[in-house]
Amino acid sequence: AQSVTQPDIHITVSEGASLELRCNYSYGATPYLFWYVQSPGQGLQLLLKYFSGDTLVQGIKGFEAEFKRSQSSFNLRKPSVHWSDAAEYFCAVGAGQGGKLIFGQGTELSVKP
Amino acid sequence: GAVVSQHPSRVICKSGTSVKIECRSLDFQATTMFWYRQFPKQSLMLMATSNEGSKATYEQGVEKDKFLINHASLTLSTLTVTSAHPEDSSFYICSASGTTRSSDTQYFGPGTRLTVL
């Protein structure tokens, strides 16, 4: 069955520290992978996506993610977190071509001064 | 990125009334639109997928007679919650994907907060 797991429900990091949010997926074919961010009471904004090619993808706001097929992972990273990065982060796997997305449970990021 | 709008952003209604939520793709043609429901502190639950000019495909457990979806044009889809009850209170989010923008990526609207009294 297709699934996405984000093991960390809530993470707190200090401003300026590095960040890694974990995402593991289970998908039969080559997955299309996405990271979205959601601020409170808002919709989702696409941070980055991976379909093929270079396994390290760059996104907006200084985020990057690395696709590791052997580990079925697509972890999101940022070298230096800003207070404005505090939000909910969702990893998702999709069938591509406008297909359905399967979302992880989300990771809430808090940033302390 | 592509722009998707939703209207209204918030709605409060009495139990038994119907509420319509609009989802528009502003700068691209959306061949497919998706409707999600999100409970507090939870992930998004896909309710249905709609393709322009076709009937929506509902996920298991979603009542199609309660949540009416219309995708009459390439830029507009509507979700109507019929005979709303307090348990229908939730955050409803639409997304769109299309041919003139990346057909493999969903772009999300800002969401609609529905409160049923």
Side-chain angles (χ1 to χ4, degrees), chain A residues 18-101:
Chain A
S18 63
L19 170 71
E20 182 170 31
L21 301 182
R22 295 183 292 165
C23 173
N24 293 96
Y25 67 89
S26 173
Y27 193 76
T30 299
Y32 285 38
L33 294 161
F34 304 83
W35 274 100
Y36 288 90
V37 60
Q38 183 181 35
S39 298
Q42 301 296 314
L44 276 66
Q45 181 182 22
L46 178 67
L47 285 176
L48 47 78
K49 60 187 178 183
Y50 171 78
F51 296 154
S52 64
D54 192 345
T55 56
L56 183 63
V57 293
Q58 303 296 321
I60 62 171
K61 303 185 179 187
F63 285 94
E64 66 177 27
E66 186 171 13
F67 171 60
K68 293 186 177 179
R69 185 186 299 275
S70 62
Q71 298 178 20
S72 296
S73 69
F74 188 57
N75 295 346
L76 182 71
R77 300 193 294 250
K78 186 169 185 178
S80 178
V81 170
H82 189 262
W83 63 266
S84 60
D85 293 324
E88 187 85 17
Y89 291 80
F90 291 98
C91 179
V93 61
Q97 295 299 309
K100 292 183 188 180
L101 288 178

Side-chain angles (χ1 to χ4, degrees), chain B residues 58 62-68 80-83:
Chain B
Y58 289 81
V62 177
E63 299 175 60
K64 60 180 66 177
D65 294 331
K66 176 139 187 86
F67 299 100
L68 300 179
T80 301
V81 183
T82 62
S83 186

